[in-house]
Amino acid sequence: MRSLSPRRTATVALAAAAAVVALAGPASAHVTVNPGSADQGGYTAVDFRVPNENDAAGTVKLEVNLPLDHPLASVRTQPLPGWTVTVEKAKLDKPLKVHGNDVNEAVSKITWTADAGVKIAPGQFQEFRVSLGPLPADADSLVFKTLQSYENGDVVRWIDEAKDGQPEPAKPAPVLKLTKAPAGESSGTTATASPSAAADGHGHGGATPEAAPADDKASDSTARVLGVVGIVVGVIGTAVGVLGLRRRSGGSAS
């Protein structure tokens, strides 16, 4: 059987590496919540991180739906230059008790719309910051079903929920995992808001009084990227090794 030439071997190896990178790229381009976890019962600030994954159009609108099965009494948005934010509320079947006060409605959706001439361009991302609380003490996670709209009319629906034991869905919804506060510490990841702030929910008052936790650098996307890099390096290393062996074999035969 005729063997491949050194040049053809290297070409095949590099093509395989490029294919791996191309396949791995879209898998890491999800809309996510950062940081990805917070303490049950407390307040926190998170960023909805939105990458633009369309090579021909920019993102011009983001709609984040908040779960009403675990409503949040205090929801505030941080002003973002170039974007207009609107907040929708829904009446609750059962009032929430927050600092001794009844809260009868909660934010159900936040929409950011780009001003004229503004967009998340191809190859870029944007973070949309929100403070939330008090987080439920009886839930392990909060799912934020999200719609990402492009200037060409395309809409990507990040609404699929992951299930244990099954592969990650193609368009997973952003998820904030909730964990029990460490023993001996008060519930909450940040300072407690006042009763009036908890009942507000409009999110037009600028930066929140709660401090945001440090960003989670060890995200799933980062792990996938590092895995892909390892695969690519291995493929290229194998190709270089094959070329070296062939050159040595050719030199000894002459």
Side-chain angles (χ1 to χ4, degrees):
M1 183 177 68
R2 186 175 63 180
S3 60
L4 295 174
S5 66
R7 179 176 297 178
R8 184 172 177 79
T9 301
T11 301
V12 171
L14 292 175
V20 171
V21 173
L23 291 173
S28 64
H30 297 336
V31 174
T32 56
V33 178
N34 296 277
S37 64
D39 288 346
Q40 294 175 339
Y43 291 80
T44 191
V46 299
D47 293 314
F48 288 93
R49 184 172 297 164
V50 182
N52 191 98
E53 57 177 13
N54 190 319
D55 293 334
T59 296
V60 293
K61 186 166 72 171
L62 182 74
E63 301 169 72
V64 176
N65 293 278
L66 280 67
L68 289 179
D69 54 343
H70 293 289
L72 301 168
S74 176
V75 177
R76 295 183 175 189
T77 60
Q78 181 167 294
L80 181 63
W83 295 79
T84 299
V85 62
T86 57
V87 176
E88 297 180 25
K89 291 185 175 181
K91 289 196 173 295
L92 301 177
D93 295 332
K94 181 180 179 180
L96 288 174
K97 277 285 186 183
V98 181
H99 302 291
N101 298 322
D102 284 339
V103 177
N104 296 302
E105 60 181 10
V107 174
S108 58
K109 183 165 73 171
I110 307 173
T111 301
W112 287 269
T113 304
D115 297 341
V118 176
K119 62 183 176 182
I120 308 173
Q124 297 181 351
F125 75 94
Q126 181 63 60
E127 291 182 336
F128 300 83
R129 193 165 183 80
V130 181
S131 72
L132 307 168
L135 302 174
D138 59 348
D140 296 327
S141 63
L142 292 176
V143 178
F144 300 93
K145 296 186 177 183
T146 300
L147 275 61
Q148 179 180 8
S149 298
Y150 288 88
E151 59 187 337
N152 63 357
D154 290 348
V155 178
V156 180
R157 300 170 62 83
W158 301 97
I159 61 173
D160 298 333
E161 297 187 41
K163 297 181 179 180
D164 292 340
Q166 296 187 12
E168 183 182 56
K171 302 296 179 185
V175 176
L176 177 66
K177 295 182 179 180
L178 303 179
T179 58
K180 293 186 180 299
E185 294 185 12
S186 60
S187 175
T189 57
T190 58
T192 302
S194 65
S196 60
D200 178 9
H202 282 286
H204 298 295
T208 70
E210 299 92 12
D215 193 13
D216 183 5
K217 299 298 183 182
S219 65
D220 290 341
S221 295
T222 301
R224 282 193 292 267
V225 171
L226 290 176
V228 170
V229 170
I231 294 172
V232 172
V233 171
V235 171
I236 295 175
T238 301
V240 172
V242 170
L243 286 173
L245 288 174
R246 285 186 168 276
R247 288 175 178 173
R248 285 199 293 271
S249 297
S252 61
S254 61

